[in-house]
């Protein structure tokens, strides 16, 4: 299924900012908020996983039902998961298309990666010194 | 110990009425702050990195401040095109030291503005900024519009301190006398309390703004029955409300700056405010996210003439968003060293930018372990401004506020660390 991809703040994402290594931050940013009708079309239950493929790559997220999100649109809180699919082009403005790319959605059984794994996938080295 | 009238160092509202209770070096209670502010203040002391860390082959090790600062100065001096990025969650004093260092290095300095309200600034440069202070809004505005933003989640006390729920000097019954219009692509909690909730199809903001401008200018005949999902009836109602207001205040968020059209959306919003000012008083204010992202624009502007994305490689300040902005420089693999201060591109930049960041020598100055930590070679922990450091921050309406320290946890401030690195750089460049 194709959908328009949107990202932005949520209060749970904002609360997680001071401790991004904690599971709360991962839980707050690795969700894909969808209209219940879209969820039904994909034959997904809330809490199941969805593979989101965008212009820059793909990422596995947890599907969450949200009536406020219009059909045909998904909302992913800003963070490393949303950025895994967004292209870096800015059309000469400095601002990437955080709110206007098109993505493909399909159900998946794959696990949601940990944020540290996402950073290792782009060439980083996880720091485990203070993880509880 | 009870600390009164403290400033919240989270969002651009910079609420200045917090009461914080500490026991020893722990925050045990925060009153008046919203959930975002109190989460930060309750937790920022707990999750600090203890000491600088450096990458050693395939592992991390602890380092001394001296070694970490030497390393930072070294990679910046060795680079042809260093990028100094971030600057939004720190004090104005540190921002100033950063600009001086970027100039001396011939590098590029950019703040998180480029990925939040950078497009708003581009629009303001084209057509001006009909702004005012939040105090004016609180005391005078009888119509509030929030467009492409969600204050309930991102600026939770904005409505209670300055708009819908705030008492105003010139309003008898502020809550009843103030009308609220919300414009968004999705129905959020903020939308459910509005007098008018106008749901725009994604990407349709420019068209809706244009339709409203046409109506305000008396040309409703050219407006079709629906515009980007909004009916003409609703557009007429909203335009009438806007014209009837005594004092209207339009706030907008990244829903306008990040959507197709980017700065042209904001330009159209400013011009709508301009059109409305032919009938009554209207103002417009971008809702700024980080508590001192506005400060980075102020400091960069006094020092260089430009608000963000300032490039010193030509020995003079040069500014060209789309070319000298951090996302573009990283995506083009242009910079060969990076200093990241008080921001988290690891969490907020597209993957392609992170791949380049991870491949070059880079240092992060930040109190916590963040998504950027795995991407850099060295991290230097510092005090949190508004908690264990004082400093200047600019509220979203441009009012500078002294952010106060109430704890001492023994960490150096951003200003101290950057000044010391700057001294090391100066010793080599201007001995
Ligand atoms: S609204 Fe912003 S400044 Fe005010 S308490 Fe909440 S996070 Fe802090």
């Amino acid at each position: 299924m194709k959908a328009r991809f949107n990202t932005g703040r949520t209060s749970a994402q904002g609360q997680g900012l001071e401790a991004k290594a904690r599971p709360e931050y991962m839980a707050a940013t690795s969700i894909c908020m969808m209209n219940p009708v879209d969820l039904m079309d994909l034959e997904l239950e809330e809490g199941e996983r969805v593979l989101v493929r965008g212009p820059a790559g793909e990422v596995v997220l947890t599907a969450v039902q949200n009536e406020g999100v219009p059909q045909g649109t998904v909302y992913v809180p800003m963070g490393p998961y949303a950025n895994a699919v967004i292209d870096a082009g800015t059309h000469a403005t400095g601002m990437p298309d955080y709110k206007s790319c098109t993505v493909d959605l399909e159900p998946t059984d794959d696990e949601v990666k940990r944020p540290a794994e996402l950073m290792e996938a782009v060439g980083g080295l996880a720091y485990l010194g203070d993880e509880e | 110990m009870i600390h009164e009238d403290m400033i919240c160092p989270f969002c651009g509202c910079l609420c200045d009425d917090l009461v914080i209770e500490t026991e020893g070096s722990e925050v045990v209670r925060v009153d008046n702050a919203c959930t975002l502010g109190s989460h930060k203040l309750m937790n920022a002391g707990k999750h600090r990195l203890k000491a600088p860390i450096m990458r050693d082959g395939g592992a991390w090790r602890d380092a001394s401040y001296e070694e970490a600062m030497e390393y930072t100065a070294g990679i910046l001096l060795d680079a042809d095109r260093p990028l100094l990025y971030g600057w939004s969650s720190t004090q104005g004093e540190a921002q100033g030291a950063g600009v001086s260092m970027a100039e001396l290095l011939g590098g590029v300095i950019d703040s998180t503005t480029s990925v939040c309200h950078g497009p708003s600034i581009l629009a303001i440069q084209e057509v001006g900024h009909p702004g005012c202070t939040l105090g004016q809004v609180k005391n005078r505005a009888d119509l509030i519009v929030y467009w492409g933003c969600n204050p309930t989640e991102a600026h939770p006390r904005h409505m209670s301190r300055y708009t819908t729920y705030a008492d105003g000097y010139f309003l008898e019954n502020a809550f009843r006398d103030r009308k609220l219009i919300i414009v968004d692509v999705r129905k959020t909690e903020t939308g459910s309390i509005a007098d008018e909730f106008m749901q725009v199809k994604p990407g349709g903001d420019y068209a809706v703004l244009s339709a409203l401008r046409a109506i305000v200018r008396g040309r409703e005949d050219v407006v079709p029955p629906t515009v980007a999902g909004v009916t003409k009836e609703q557009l007429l109602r909203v335009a009438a409300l806007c014209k009837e207001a005594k004092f209207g205040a339009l706030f907008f968020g990244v829903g306008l700056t990040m959507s197709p059209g980017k700065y042209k959306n904001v330009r159209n919003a400013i011009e709508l405010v301009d059109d409305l000012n032919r009938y009554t008083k209207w103002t417009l204010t971008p809702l700024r996210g980080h508590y001192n992202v506005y400060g980075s624009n102020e400091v960069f502007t006094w020092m260089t003439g430009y608000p963000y994305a300032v490039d010193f490689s030509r020995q003079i300040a040069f500014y060209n968003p789309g070319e000298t902005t951090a996302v573009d420089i990283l995506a083009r693999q242009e910079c060969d060293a990076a200093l990241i201060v008080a921001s988290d591109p690891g969490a907020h930049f597209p993957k392609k930018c992170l791949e380049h960041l991870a491949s070059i020598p880079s240092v992060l100055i930040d109190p916590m372990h963040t998504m950027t930590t795995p991407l850099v070679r060295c991290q230097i922990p510092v005090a949190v401004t508004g908690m264990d450091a004082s400093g200047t921050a600019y509220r979203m309406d441009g009012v500078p506020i002294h952010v106060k320290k109430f704890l001492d946890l023994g960490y150096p401030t951003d200003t101290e660390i950057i000044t010391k690195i700057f001294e090391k750089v100066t010793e080599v460049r201007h001995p």
Side-chain angles (χ1 to χ4, degrees), chain B residues 8-15 18 32-38 154-158 161:
Chain B
C8 172
F10 189 96
C11 82
C13 289
L14 277 175
C15 296
L18 270 49
N32 295 346
C34 70
T35 148
L36 299 175
S38 56
H155 300 87
R157 294 183 71 210
H158 195 267
R161 276 179 55 94

